[in-house]
Amino acid sequence: MLSRRFLRRTAIPAAACAGLVAISAAALWQLDRAFPPPLPAELAVSTEVLDRDGQLLRAFATSDGYWRLETRLDQVDKQLVDMLVTYEDKRFWGHDGVDVLALARAAGQFATSGHIVSGGSTLSMQLARLIEPRDSRSLGSKLRQMLRAIQIERRLSKREILERYLTLAPYGGNLEGVRAASLAYFGKEPKRLTVSEAALLVALPQLPEKRRPDRNLKIALTARDRVLARMVSSGLLGEREAARAALDDVSELRRSLPALAAHAAYAMLPKAIPGQPLRLTIRKSVQEGLEQVARDAAIRLGPRLSVAMVLADSRTGDILGEVGSANYFDASRSGWIDMTRTLRSPGSTLKPFIYGLAFEQGLVAQETLIEDSPADFGGYRPKNFDMAYQGDVSIRQALQLSLNVPAIRVLDAVGPARLMARFRQAGVMPILPVNDAPGLAIGLGGVGVTLRDLVQLYTGLANGGKANTLHDGTEPANAERSTATILDDQANWQITDILSGVKPPEGAMQRGIAYKTGTSYGYRDAWSVGFDGRYVLGVWVGRPDAGAVPGLSGYVSAAPILFEGFVRSGLATVPLPSQPAGVSRPKRDDLPVTLARFGAGADGLVQATATEPAPTIIFPPDGARVDLGTASANASPLVLKLQGGRAPFRWLANGKPLVGIDRRRTATWQPDGAGYSTLTVIDAAGRAASVKVFVE
């Protein structure tokens, strides 16, 4: 047994050592608290704008100009993490910040070779260097890193350490973090990487500027191959797999980070909260397709012209794609102006709702005849786009051909105020000229609406008459979202059926959509809005400064973009709704007498509208003496002219009808001889006008 003297002699130093250890531990604990590592709760990272599925639409550089995207381990290919740990810190999961064995190995290699062969830094030590950049590679700096690494390990889990390293690691230029590097060098998120790509991303942070593939491709490939060789020696990769990876090409191109939905993304910035991504209702694949269509179309259309597009889900009001301009950064096209929210004249795009109200009120059927001829509505004289007139046409033809005069005749019957009230009911507030009441001109674009307004109205046509408020995520949190009736389901189907029969533009793929075009006064805006059984796409083409563009039209300029946009959106076509029960589309011969012609009364006679003037003979004037040379063998005919009335017209001279019925407002009469004659004209409404003239 040990003597009591021996125990007394050894107990005092042991107690002293224990006390010293305790004091040292307490001192270190106090120092650790007094000088904590700079580990902010949230890293200063790029603001991200995500799509509805969490995919990156756009990122904004940090205040110091870096692309630094926050990275979670579930966003990174597991193979990359395994290769990183194997290459940089193979005992990462077991040490407490410092790998003593790795340091001893590095020191031995330095002692035998006289230079650094391999480093002994752990990933925790490298993170310490990233959060506190060192000015030198001195022993003091290394010791400071070791102490910081121990502090970091006390505060963060291994997973958190990896995530911070993968967020902050340098990859050349202003790229920091593996996500920014993968997007810039490979054009994709690091969720699924090839073996070659993963090896390159492991190799870059050691010498990021020297190994940048966009500047030093050969050096980058050599570094990648070194990582692959280490993976083979560590047993993480087979030799054949590594050899195949070493044959993969690496692009010398540094790509731009995703920059989609520029206008919506910038509109979201005021909502940004550090460390939290912003989210839109947009779908990335749809947005990519629409933006490419808009860019290509603007190039074809010519300088200074821009293109805007909105694609929405009619059942929810979610905007799946919106293009505010052909190119946000193109100053020549004023690309920074969001033309989806700018008030413009909608041209003929509101006509479907005019006819829809007429169907609701039972005023028309698809085969009801309506007159397309010059008309005067209390001083308002609409003209067709091509300045030509078709005569009698069916309601179906009038809408499909977008004839102006028939549309105004119908609007005059249903009432402009009622049309505006229906728009407001659907959440759209068209802007009228100051101090103007709703008038007939709104039927041809005499009102201000936005592209989003139009698409919102057309969600009703695609959704059985129920229009949904559009939203893309930029709206205030308390913004009202509603569903409102724009047309009843039966009238809605009639309009959809008519628009589905509009001929696609030349060269466009038939897609089973219904659509309408429009051109504003002075060739300033070209529109096309189309829909299938679920999705609505609206297109605007024009100059943001509202300048006239000769030759611009909805059918020629905007409709081809509409059809191409539907194709490039990648959305599957949803069939248009089937004919509702109880809805009919009778042939013309089967129509009741009151629907045979627009404006016909119960007796089948055409009724004049209150604003339609009666016919008036303006030449020859009543009581005129006209010298036609009746005494000679070559007497001249008398030209007859009238205003107002409803075509066709029948002329009579002294009670005897002239040959035929004429739709024109001019006619000729050859008198039998000199003397007084009475000339009479009767219009289609049965109204007559007469003048008495003396022929010489």
Side-chain angles (χ1 to χ4, degrees), residues 76-136:
V76 180
D77 195 322
K78 183 179 183 300
Q79 180 175 238
L80 168 64
V81 177
D82 292 342
M83 292 172 71
L84 173 66
V85 171
T86 300
Y87 189 77
E88 292 287 355
D89 188 1
K90 64 182 179 181
R91 283 177 285 275
F92 171 73
W93 300 104
H95 63 64
D96 292 323
V98 178
D99 187 345
V100 178
L101 294 177
L103 287 174
R105 182 199 69 232
Q109 291 172 338
F110 179 78
T112 56
S113 65
H115 63 275
I116 297 176
V117 176
S118 64
S121 294
T122 62
L123 287 171
S124 303
M125 292 170 64
Q126 292 184 48
L127 177 58
R129 186 173 71 244
L130 291 173
I131 62 176
E132 281 186 310
R134 64 189 181 188
D135 297 326
S136 65

Side-chain angles (χ1 to χ4, degrees), residues 370-387:
I370 189 169
E371 186 179 358
D372 177 36
S373 62
D376 186 320
F377 299 87
Y380 178 56
R381 300 180 178 87
K383 296 178 175 60
N384 285 332
F385 182 76
D386 60 1
M387 304 303 291

Side-chain angles (χ1 to χ4, degrees), residues 185-248:
Y185 295 134
F186 311 138
K188 63 180 180 180
E189 293 275 1
K191 182 66 175 177
R192 291 181 177 82
L193 298 170
T194 66
V195 173
S196 171
E197 291 167 345
L200 181 60
L201 292 177
V202 168
L204 285 177
Q206 286 74 49
L207 294 168
E209 292 302 325
K210 187 176 181 179
R211 294 175 177 177
R212 287 176 59 171
D214 60 324
R215 293 188 177 179
N216 304 300
L217 182 59
K218 292 182 66 174
I219 296 175
L221 293 175
T222 300
R224 177 201 65 180
D225 294 346
R226 189 179 299 118
V227 172
L228 292 172
R230 179 80 65 82
M231 297 306 104
V232 172
S233 63
S234 301
L236 192 63
L237 291 178
E239 290 187 6
R240 295 181 63 182
E241 186 178 12
R244 287 196 299 270
L247 295 175
D248 287 351

Side-chain angles (χ1 to χ4, degrees), residues 671-689:
D672 296 333
Y676 283 101
S677 292
T678 300
L679 302 172
T680 303
V681 64
I682 303 173
D683 75 351
R687 297 170 298 180

Side-chain angles (χ1 to χ4, degrees), residues 398-679:
L399 179 52
Q400 289 181 343
L401 297 174
S402 197
L403 301 175
N404 289 344
V405 177
I408 298 305
R409 292 186 191 278
V410 175
L411 179 58
D412 187 40
V414 301
R418 180 174 295 169
L419 180 67
M420 291 288 285
R422 197 62 64 91
F423 290 159
R424 289 192 290 268
Q425 182 176 313
V428 172
M429 306 297 177
I431 305 301
L432 291 165
V434 178
N435 298 324
D436 270 15
L440 296 178
I442 66 176
L444 304 184
V447 68
V449 298
T450 69
L451 179 58
R452 284 173 62 116
D453 289 337
L454 276 180
V455 172
Q456 183 163 316
L457 291 175
Y458 275 74
T459 61
L461 298 182
N463 193 40
K466 306 292 185 182
N468 276 297
T469 304
L470 296 191
H471 52 273
D472 60 5
T474 63
E475 300 80 14
N478 59 351
E480 184 178 351
R481 294 171 58 174
S482 62
T483 300
T485 299
I486 185 72
L487 291 174
D488 69 35
D489 61 341
Q490 298 189 15
N492 194 82
W493 180 84
Q494 298 283 2
I495 296 302
T496 298
D497 185 59
I498 292 173
L499 295 181
S500 66
V502 178
K503 181 182 177 182
E506 186 176 354
M509 181 185 300
Q510 180 60 260
R511 192 175 164 85
I513 65 172
Y515 81 107
K516 181 73 183 73
T517 61
T519 308
S520 69
Y521 178 77
Y523 303 97
R524 289 174 170 81
D525 309 274
W527 305 85
S528 186
V529 190
F531 57 95
D532 60 14
R534 179 164 187 171
Y535 303 110
V536 181
L537 175 58
V539 176
W540 169 88
V541 177
R543 283 177 47 168
D545 63 1
V549 184
L552 187 75
S553 75
Y555 187 76
V556 174
S557 307
I561 300 173
L562 174 80
F563 278 77
E564 187 180 358
F566 265 116
V567 172
R568 296 288 290 275
S569 72
L571 297 171
T573 303
V574 178
L576 291 166
S578 56
Q579 188 169 341
V583 177
S584 63
R585 195 179 73 182
K587 297 179 180 179
R588 185 172 303 165
D589 293 342
D590 298 330
L591 289 174
V593 66
T594 54
L595 289 179
R597 176 180 287 276
F598 178 70
D603 57 1
L605 296 177
V606 177
Q607 304 299 308
T609 63
T611 59
E612 185 180 62
T616 302
I617 300 174
I618 60 173
F619 189 85
D622 189 35
R625 298 179 68 91
V626 183
D627 186 358
L628 299 178
T630 55
S632 68
N634 298 317
S636 300
L638 178 62
V639 176
L640 312 175
K641 297 181 180 180
L642 67 87
Q643 281 185 346
R646 182 191 296 272
F649 305 101
R650 180 180 295 276
W651 288 88
L652 299 94
N654 299 318
K656 296 181 180 179
L658 304 183
V659 177
I661 298 177
D662 204 331
R663 304 195 65 83
R664 296 171 298 173
R665 283 174 163 73
T666 60
T668 57
W669 168 58
Q670 187 72 56
D672 296 333
Y676 283 101
S677 292
T678 300
L679 302 172

Side-chain angles (χ1 to χ4, degrees), residues 1-14:
M1 293 181 63
L2 296 175
S3 67
R4 290 182 178 178
R5 177 182 290 182
F6 177 81
L7 291 174
R8 284 196 300 269
R9 288 176 178 176
T10 58
I12 294 173

Side-chain angles (χ1 to χ4, degrees), residues 142-158:
K142 180 67 71 174
L143 180 60
R144 182 182 179 88
Q145 283 178 28
M146 294 167 61
L147 294 174
R148 284 303 196 197
I150 294 171
Q151 289 182 297
I152 289 170
E153 292 269 349
R154 286 169 52 85
R155 289 166 170 80
L156 300 178
S157 67
K158 293 289 187 180

